[in-house]
Amino acid sequence: MKNGKLHVITNGKQSNDKLINIAKIIHPFIDAIHIREKAKTAQQIYHLVQQLYKNGVPSSKLIINDRVDVAQVCKVKGVQLAYHSLPVQEVKDSFPSLQVGCSCHSLEEGGRAQRNGAQYILFGHIFTSNSKPGVPPKGLKALSRVSRQLDIPVIAIGGITPKHVSQVMKAGASGIAVMSGVWEARDPLNAVQSYKKHLIDRGS
Amino acid sequence: MKNGKLHVITNGKQSNDKLINIAKIIHPFIDAIHIREKAKTAQQIYHLVQQLYKNGVPSSKLIINDRVDVAQVCKVKGVQLAYHSLPVQEVKDSFPSLQVGCSCHSLEEGGRAQRNGAQYILFGHIFTSNSKPGVPPKGLKALSRVSRQLDIPVIAIGGITPKHVSQVMKAGASGIAVMSGVWEARDPLNAVQSYKKHLIDRGS
């Protein structure tokens, strides 16, 4: 049985120094770091990625949120597109070397992303999450429906703690994505290992 | 003698409808429309460009500010990069089909843009401008110095009215860029023609 994937997504709240220090420790143990720094300019994201490279974080582990141009120039693995981003199909056509992930909040959005060529989706939020205050979570049933009906991997996101991982994986997710659970953990490497343990224990 | 170029740059204050209505009237008489809509998402800029295409504005007249990815996907003529954008050289390397312009505020910045492969610069602001309140204008002497020392075209921007055009062209500019002078004119086509008249009368 495949191990579940672990994506770690920045939340725009860390200083560059803190972000880099954590990233260089955790990258060998995770599948992807998403640079999701909405308040940063293209230049700032570009420089952050150069710093990550200098600190040994490989391009194969980096995904840039929304800014396809920065992803292309920095030759990272992929881009994560949201509703406000360029259309998936256009990005696939113009940037064939980039892996394209899509953030979805319904089966309909997930189906459209798949038809348009997305290689995986992030689906959520699954549980109540500090980053989505007041928005009701989708829950495990919706995750299960989406995972069953799509052919591409579904990465679950939103309020996932290590304790939730086995339920999330049983619902059909191919992995999980975590934000504050890693960046704001007292010991981010320990948090990563704690998530990993449950992702590896999948199905046991 | 070459006629001066006329670039018209959106200022983020027009509704899409108004912007499109003006663009479809003025495009035959100008050299470039810059889509500079900083508050809009990539998706919104993409859709705006599609609307401009449907209304007959040709890709050869469109330049997108900062979002190189949107420029690439929409196959417009070029991108306009600013300080906060991706580095000129990286954009030239990764997006060879796009014309690259660079917004500069000093001879030093202009020289760097030229060395890095920019095909032209916007230099300003030349006169007191509503879009740069409290920032002292560069004036015609600085424009003259920059135009003399660079080999690439220098397009002057900032507070330029039709009356200023001949002084600006005498200072060595290859053309001018206008924002509110067109979008906020009572009759934008008339404003464009008024600028054009002086750009054609150059040197006479």
Side-chain angles (χ1 to χ4, degrees):
Chain A
M1 185 174 293
K2 269 191 190 169
N3 292 331
K5 301 281 186 195
L6 178 54
H7 291 221
V8 178
I9 303 180
T10 72
N11 60 5
K13 292 179 186 166
Q14 271 58 50
S15 69
N16 275 7
D17 282 352
K18 186 173 174 192
L19 195 162
I20 292 162
N21 280 332
I22 295 175
K24 74 181 180 190
I25 295 170
I26 65 172
H27 77 81
F29 308 102
I30 65 176
D31 297 284
I33 297 174
H34 292 233
I35 305 300
R36 182 175 179 273
E37 298 287 307
K38 294 184 174 195
K40 285 194 168 66
T41 65
Q43 188 208 40
Q44 289 168 332
I45 303 170
Y46 172 83
H47 284 301
L48 172 58
V49 173
Q50 302 310 315
Q51 286 295 107
L52 287 165
Y53 285 167
K54 277 184 196 150
N55 281 275
V57 179
S59 61
S60 61
K61 293 280 172 90
L62 288 176
I63 291 172
I64 308 270
N65 189 276
D66 187 60
R67 291 290 311 223
V68 190
D69 45 3
V70 182
Q72 178 76 9
V73 157
C74 293
K75 299 182 176 64
V76 296
K77 183 175 191 188
V79 276
Q80 183 68 29
L81 303 176
Y83 177 76
H84 58 83
S85 302
L86 282 168
V88 173
Q89 199 159 4
E90 292 280 21
V91 174
K92 291 292 299 178
D93 289 349
S94 292
F95 300 89
S97 63
L98 291 173
Q99 183 192 69
V100 175
C102 196
S103 299
C104 299
H105 306 90
S106 67
L107 178 58
E108 195 194 340
E109 280 180 23
R112 200 181 311 131
Q114 177 174 295
R115 282 192 302 281
N116 291 334
Q119 278 132 309
Y120 67 92
I121 66 164
L122 293 187
F123 178 74
H125 54 294
I126 308 300
F127 303 108
T128 305
S129 163
N130 286 338
S131 62
K132 300 273 183 187
V135 184
K138 306 291 174 197
L140 290 167
K141 277 195 184 169
L143 172 63
S144 171
R145 198 164 50 242
V146 170
S147 301
R148 251 195 337 264
Q149 302 219 12
L150 297 187
D151 301 319
I152 55 176
V154 175
I155 306 291
I157 185 169
I160 301 172
T161 66
K163 284 182 194 164
H164 292 126
V165 174
S166 65
Q167 315 163 49
V168 165
M169 296 306 290
K170 276 182 193 141
S174 295
I176 63 166
V178 180
M179 300 177 83
S180 56
V182 168
W183 302 107
E184 288 169 21
R186 202 176 293 174
D187 180 342
L189 179 57
N190 188 52
V192 160
Q193 285 168 333
S194 187
Y195 281 110
K196 279 295 274 189
K197 190 172 137 239
H198 293 278
L199 287 162
I200 292 169
D201 280 345
R202 176 187 184 186
S204 66
Chain B
M1 187 173 293
K2 269 192 192 171
N3 291 331
K5 302 282 184 194
L6 178 54
H7 291 220
V8 178
I9 302 181
T10 72
N11 59 6
K13 292 180 186 165
Q14 271 58 49
S15 68
N16 274 6
D17 283 351
K18 187 173 174 191
L19 195 161
I20 292 163
N21 281 332
I22 296 175
K24 74 182 179 188
I25 294 169
I26 65 172
H27 77 80
F29 308 102
I30 65 177
D31 297 284
I33 298 175
H34 294 231
I35 306 299
R36 183 176 179 273
E37 298 286 308
K38 295 184 175 196
K40 285 195 168 65
T41 65
Q43 189 209 40
Q44 289 168 332
I45 304 170
Y46 171 83
H47 284 300
L48 173 58
V49 173
Q50 302 309 315
Q51 286 295 108
L52 288 165
Y53 284 167
K54 278 186 195 151
N55 281 275
V57 179
S59 61
S60 60
K61 293 279 173 87
L62 289 176
I63 290 171
I64 307 271
N65 188 277
D66 185 59
R67 291 289 313 219
V68 191
D69 43 4
V70 182
Q72 177 76 8
V73 156
C74 293
K75 299 180 175 64
V76 297
K77 183 175 191 186
V79 276
Q80 183 68 29
L81 303 176
Y83 177 75
H84 58 81
S85 302
L86 282 167
V88 173
Q89 200 160 1
E90 292 278 22
V91 174
K92 291 292 298 175
D93 290 349
S94 292
F95 300 89
S97 64
L98 292 173
Q99 184 191 69
V100 175
C102 196
S103 299
C104 299
H105 306 91
S106 68
L107 177 57
E108 194 195 343
E109 280 181 21
R112 200 181 311 132
Q114 176 174 294
R115 282 192 302 281
N116 291 334
Q119 278 132 310
Y120 67 92
I121 66 164
L122 292 188
F123 178 74
H125 53 292
I126 307 300
F127 302 109
T128 305
S129 163
N130 286 337
S131 61
K132 301 273 182 188
V135 185
K138 307 290 173 198
L140 291 164
K141 278 196 182 167
L143 172 63
S144 171
R145 197 164 51 242
V146 171
S147 302
R148 250 195 339 264
Q149 302 220 13
L150 297 188
D151 301 318
I152 56 176
V154 175
I155 307 290
I157 185 169
I160 301 172
T161 66
K163 283 182 193 163
H164 293 126
V165 173
S166 66
Q167 313 164 52
V168 166
M169 297 306 290
K170 276 181 193 141
S174 295
I176 62 165
V178 181
M179 299 177 83
S180 57
V182 168
W183 302 106
E184 289 169 21
R186 203 177 293 174
D187 181 340
L189 179 58
N190 189 51
V192 160
Q193 285 168 334
S194 185
Y195 281 109
K196 279 296 274 188
K197 192 173 138 235
H198 293 279
L199 286 162
I200 291 168
D201 279 345
R202 175 187 184 186
S204 66

